[in-house]
Amino acid sequence: MWLIRALFVCALALQQPTTGSLRPVNGTLRDSLSERPLDQNLEAPRGIRELSDGTVLVQDGRRALIGNFDSGGAEALPMLTGKLVQLPGDTTIEIRASGWTFFTGTKTVGALPPEVSMKLVNRQTDVPYGANASGSLLIVTHSSDDTYSAVLVNRTTAAREILTTLAFDEIKRGGGSRPVCKLAETVVLAPDGWIGVLRKDPYRVDWRTATGEWVHGAPIPYPQLPMNDQEKKVYLEWRDRDYPTTNADNVRSWPKQVCPWVGGFAPLATPDGKMLVYRVPTTA
């Protein structure tokens, strides 16, 4: 089974899954308040998931929107101001300080009060990434010794199982207002319960099967492009979509080569066993 799992790299386009009804491949969503394409009005960070009826749920900063490719429109959902976490099927959790709200599609189906949710997730150190079919939460936790770990939390007993430690680059600021090419290992939960871990040294993907076995991926080749003036220009133009402009002359910590990806853009798992990674745009 693991042989069908491959890392697909992408910049702004996603390959259409073999299951589901996301359509059309080159469709456009428009903001409900504008005729411009939705992408021009999105904030960061962004998240997206396909629902079984062919619509897509988009997390845009502190907003959530439902997009319909048949009509081309996207409508904001009311009262969704927390972090959205995907569960199996069409169920999503909205995590807020006042507790967790569960909804399926756009319909609220239940709630978890803070005195219960705080036993599962510490708002100061834990970031939920989803849940498997058996109900265990996948989180990334930050410990006091500055270590990041991927952990499964049992939603019934709150017991924790540490899966792996995640490596990351220290933020280097050289006079600029943003880090450059900060690589942070991250995780993604596939619909079938597999967990993908994006590794940085070497660049690869490791998989944990639904039965708890590990499949370690081979190093993934990527273009070894020098970070010259042309690549710096492309990189800054790309980051300017989400962050205030920084003059290239003020950045003192440019890497020697263009990085394969940048932390902060979570990978996506497709229903057909692939991981999609947001690659760093280049002149090529």
Side-chain angles (χ1 to χ4, degrees):
M1 178 179 179
W2 66 270
L3 291 176
I4 69 171
R5 292 180 176 270
L7 179 74
F8 269 45
V9 294
C10 63
L12 299 176
L14 298 181
Q15 180 184 6
Q16 186 177 8
T18 58
T19 61
S21 55
L22 184 62
R23 61 187 188 277
V25 174
N26 59 346
T28 299
L29 293 178
R30 297 182 301 274
D31 191 279
S32 57
L33 301 179
S34 171
E35 292 301 318
R36 296 186 303 175
L38 181 65
D39 187 57
Q40 297 183 20
N41 297 329
L42 288 178
E43 302 174 2
R46 297 193 273 268
I48 185 170
R49 64 172 300 194
E50 179 188 2
L51 302 179
S52 59
D53 62 358
T55 60
V56 290
L57 176 63
V58 182
Q59 185 176 11
D60 170 25
R62 298 190 65 82
R63 296 188 304 169
L65 307 99
I66 288 288
N68 188 313
F69 279 105
D70 288 335
S71 65
E75 299 295 332
L77 298 178
M79 304 301 292
L80 294 180
T81 58
K83 175 180 173 58
L84 301 184
V85 176
Q86 178 175 341
L87 298 184
D90 283 353
T91 303
T92 306
I93 309 176
E94 180 193 9
I95 295 182
R96 295 183 292 178
S98 57
W100 297 2
T101 300
F102 295 80
F103 60 97
T104 298
T106 60
K107 181 180 178 182
T108 301
V109 294
L112 202 63
E115 59 267 23
V116 177
S117 62
M118 289 179 63
K119 295 179 180 179
L120 301 176
V121 173
N122 186 320
R123 293 197 303 270
Q124 304 300 318
T125 60
D126 301 337
V127 180
Y129 277 72
N132 58 25
S134 63
S136 292
L137 288 168
L138 173 64
I139 68 170
V140 171
T141 186
H142 184 199
S143 63
S144 57
D145 61 355
D146 210 25
T147 299
Y148 289 85
S149 301
V151 177
L152 279 180
V153 181
N154 188 297
R155 281 163 57 190
T156 302
T157 65
R160 296 192 167 207
E161 177 188 359
I162 298 178
L163 304 180
T164 186
T165 299
L166 303 174
F168 65 99
D169 290 343
E170 296 287 348
I171 295 179
K172 298 179 180 179
R173 300 180 184 273
S177 61
R178 78 186 97 178
V180 176
C181 277
K182 177 180 179 291
L183 294 182
E185 294 185 346
T186 188
V187 295
V188 65
L189 181 64
D192 58 4
W194 285 52
I195 297 172
V197 184
L198 184 60
R199 300 293 193 184
K200 62 183 285 288
D201 189 22
Y203 176 43
R204 69 186 194 277
V205 173
D206 293 339
W207 291 95
R208 183 183 187 271
T209 71
T211 58
E213 300 175 353
W214 281 97
V215 177
H216 298 284
I220 300 170
Y222 65 95
Q224 303 288 315
L225 299 176
M227 184 63 89
N228 54 30
D229 290 342
Q230 290 75 22
E231 298 298 346
K232 292 177 181 179
K233 182 175 183 294
V234 171
Y235 180 88
L236 288 176
E237 288 176 348
W238 168 60
R239 298 299 281 177
D240 282 344
R241 298 178 59 192
D242 300 320
Y243 296 100
T245 301
T246 294
N247 191 306
D249 294 336
N250 293 332
V251 179
R252 309 299 183 192
S253 57
W254 290 104
K256 294 181 180 180
Q257 293 181 327
V258 177
C259 300
W261 91 96
V262 173
F265 293 87
L268 300 173
T270 70
D272 56 343
K274 298 182 178 69
M275 179 191 287
L276 301 177
V277 177
Y278 198 121
R279 287 289 302 274
V280 177
T282 69
T283 56

